[in-house]
Amino acid sequence: MAKADKFVVKLTGDFYDAAGKPKFQQMGLEVFDETAHLELSRFDDHRGEIESDQIGGAQGVIVLTPAVTVKSVADPDDLIAFGRWGVGFETVDVAACTKAGVLAFTVPGAVDHSVGEVTVMFMLNLTHHGRSKDAMVREGRWDDRNDYMGSELRERTFGAVGLGGIARATIELLSSFKMNPPIAFDPIVDAATAKDLGVKLVSLDELMAEADFVSVHCPMTDQTRGMIGAKEIAKMKPTAYIINTARGGIVDEDAMYDALKEKRIAGAGLDCFVGEPLTEPHRFGELENTFLAPHASAWTHELWRDIGRTVSGGMYQLSLGEKPRGILNPELFDQPEFVEKWKRHQHQ
C-alpha cells in the first residue's frame, strides 16, 4: 500500500477560543513549521470527550483536556497516536486505545521543573503565611502581623509520595534550603536509586508521621485513588502540611478538610481537586490555612513551550518510525496490525 503524503496531527478544540484564536502564546510546535511531511490542523469544536468524527483521517491527536474514550477510537484505520498535553492520563482509556490499535503517550520530563517550582512556592507561602500577610496590607490590618509568626523550611523534612521526575526536581530545588534529608514513599523505586538521589525510602505510614511536608507526586490510578485518607492524615504532625500538585482524589478531601478545619494539621497547598473544573466557590476556600490554585499554578510560558516541544516531538518521531518516550501501551509495537498501519504513515 502506498505511503501517505503527510503525517497529519490535530489539536483538540480547547487550545482555541470561541473566535478560533489560540489561547496560549507559546506552544512549542515549531517542528510542524520546520518539517515538510508534518501537517498541523485542529478540531473545529470542543467537546468533553473526543469523538471519531473530529479526528477524520489524522494520524495523531494532541489532547489538552477532552477524554479519550471508546468513542474516540471508533474509526482507528489511519490513527496512530494520542499525545497527552501533560503527564496525567486518568482521562485516557488506555485499554480502549490498545484494543483499537492506537498508541497513547504522555510527556515525561516536560513538566518536572515547573511543578517543582510550584511545590516550593506552596511550601513557602504556607509556612510564611503569604496569603494572610498580603491581606493584612490590602485591608489595613498592620498590627495583625503579631499573630502570624511563620516558620522556615530549614531543619524541616520533605516527604514525597511518589519519587518520579517532579519529586526529584523538587528535591533538587530544595537543596539550598538546609532541610533535613528528604524521605519518599514509592514502591516502584528501588533503594539504590533513592540512595543515589540522597533520599530515604520509607513506608507511607512512616512518611505521614515523619514528614513536615507531605507532597503528592504520584499519578491517579486505581491503586492511588484515596490512598491518603483519614487514617493516614491522623498520623501527621500538627505542624505538618499537605501539598498536592498531582490529582484531586489521591488525598481524601473529606478527611483533609476535617483535619484542616479542626487544625489537626497546619495547612494545605492544593492545585487539584475532585470534580474539576470548579465553577463555584470551594469549601477549602473558607479555611485560612489553605493556599489554592485552579490546577494551573505551574502554567508558565516555559512549561507550555516544553510540553509542546515534547508532544510534537513525539509525533515527529512516530512519523519517522521511531518510538517516543512516555508510551502507555508499548505492547502495540509487537502487534503486526499496528506495525503495518504505522509503516504506512512513516516518512524516512
Side-chain angles (χ1 to χ4, degrees):
M1 186 175 293
K3 292 186 181 292
D5 293 334
K6 296 281 188 179
F7 192 97
V8 180
V9 178
K10 287 188 174 183
L11 297 168
T12 52
D14 51 337
F15 284 101
Y16 298 85
D17 63 21
K21 296 180 180 179
K23 292 179 181 178
F24 311 106
Q25 294 179 24
Q26 294 189 38
M27 293 187 58
L29 303 177
E30 298 88 356
V31 69
F32 290 101
D33 297 323
E34 300 165 354
T35 308
H37 71 263
L38 287 179
E39 180 178 302
L40 183 65
S41 62
R42 66 180 180 87
F43 287 7
D44 293 329
D45 59 10
H46 171 48
R47 305 173 197 173
E49 64 179 319
I50 296 171
E51 299 187 51
S52 60
D53 67 291
Q54 296 175 293
I55 297 169
Q59 283 66 68
V61 177
I62 295 175
V63 185
L64 184 54
T65 62
V68 177
T69 69
V70 172
K71 290 183 180 180
S72 311
V73 291
D75 185 16
D77 288 350
D78 292 307
L79 183 61
I80 305 298
F82 291 104
R84 264 284 294 130
W85 193 272
V87 293
F89 55 90
E90 72 280 357
T91 58
V92 178
D93 188 333
V94 179
C97 290
T98 304
K99 185 176 180 180
V102 178
L103 292 171
F105 69 95
T106 63
V107 291
V111 306
D112 293 354
H113 183 85
S114 298
V115 182
E117 275 196 8
V118 162
T119 304
V120 177
M121 178 271 290
F122 275 130
M123 293 167 66
L124 291 169
N125 265 290
L126 287 164
T127 54
H128 289 272
H129 303 292
R131 175 170 163 251
S132 297
K133 290 176 180 177
D134 176 88
M136 288 175 208
V137 176
R138 294 176 188 275
E139 298 167 11
R141 297 184 291 108
W142 195 268
D143 288 341
D144 286 0
R145 62 184 182 169
N146 299 329
D147 300 324
Y148 289 86
M149 191 65 68
S151 59
E152 299 176 18
L153 304 189
R154 182 173 41 153
E155 300 173 2
R156 302 288 194 270
T157 299
F158 178 78
V161 180
L163 191 55
I166 295 171
R168 297 178 193 196
T170 305
I171 288 167
E172 182 178 358
L173 288 166
L174 289 170
S175 62
S176 63
F177 284 90
K178 299 181 180 180
M179 298 183 73
N180 297 331
I183 60 177
F185 167 70
D186 193 323
I188 297 175
V189 175
D190 61 82
T193 299
K195 185 178 180 180
D196 288 343
L197 296 168
V199 178
K200 178 185 176 183
L201 287 179
V202 296
S203 69
L204 181 59
D205 283 349
E206 289 174 309
L207 185 143
M208 300 302 296
E210 296 176 17
D212 296 292
F213 300 92
V214 174
S215 193
V216 182
H217 298 291
C218 59
M220 169 68 88
T221 66
D222 290 340
Q223 290 71 40
T224 62
R225 191 183 307 275
M227 180 172 64
I228 298 175
K231 179 174 71 71
E232 288 74 24
I233 293 172
K235 297 179 184 298
M236 293 177 64
K237 303 173 185 178
T239 54
Y241 299 86
I242 292 175
I243 312 292
N244 190 358
T245 58
R247 288 293 185 272
I250 296 173
V251 183
D252 182 293
E253 286 193 349
D254 290 336
M256 181 166 50
Y257 178 82
D258 289 343
L260 289 165
K261 187 173 183 179
E262 296 165 12
K263 298 187 177 177
R264 287 186 276 114
I265 60 175
L270 306 174
D271 189 44
C272 46
F273 305 86
V274 174
E276 296 178 12
L278 306 180
T279 56
E280 298 291 337
H282 198 280
R283 58 178 171 167
F284 283 108
E286 303 165 2
L287 306 174
E288 191 176 25
N289 54 351
T290 58
F291 192 84
L292 312 176
H295 210 151
S297 56
W299 285 20
T300 61
H301 295 303
E302 295 86 355
L303 173 75
W304 235 237
R305 176 201 64 200
D306 291 350
I307 291 177
R309 287 177 178 173
T310 304
V311 71
S312 61
M315 292 297 181
Y316 175 65
Q317 287 178 287
L318 286 168
S319 76
L320 297 180
E322 301 171 1
K323 299 177 184 179
R325 296 175 60 219
I327 295 290
L328 301 174
N329 48 356
E331 61 269 31
L332 282 180
F333 293 117
D334 297 321
Q335 295 186 8
E337 296 85 355
F338 170 77
V339 172
E340 188 279 328
K341 175 174 66 171
W342 184 24
K343 285 182 177 178
R344 267 196 339 255
H345 294 283
Q346 290 175 17
H347 296 256
Q348 296 173 314

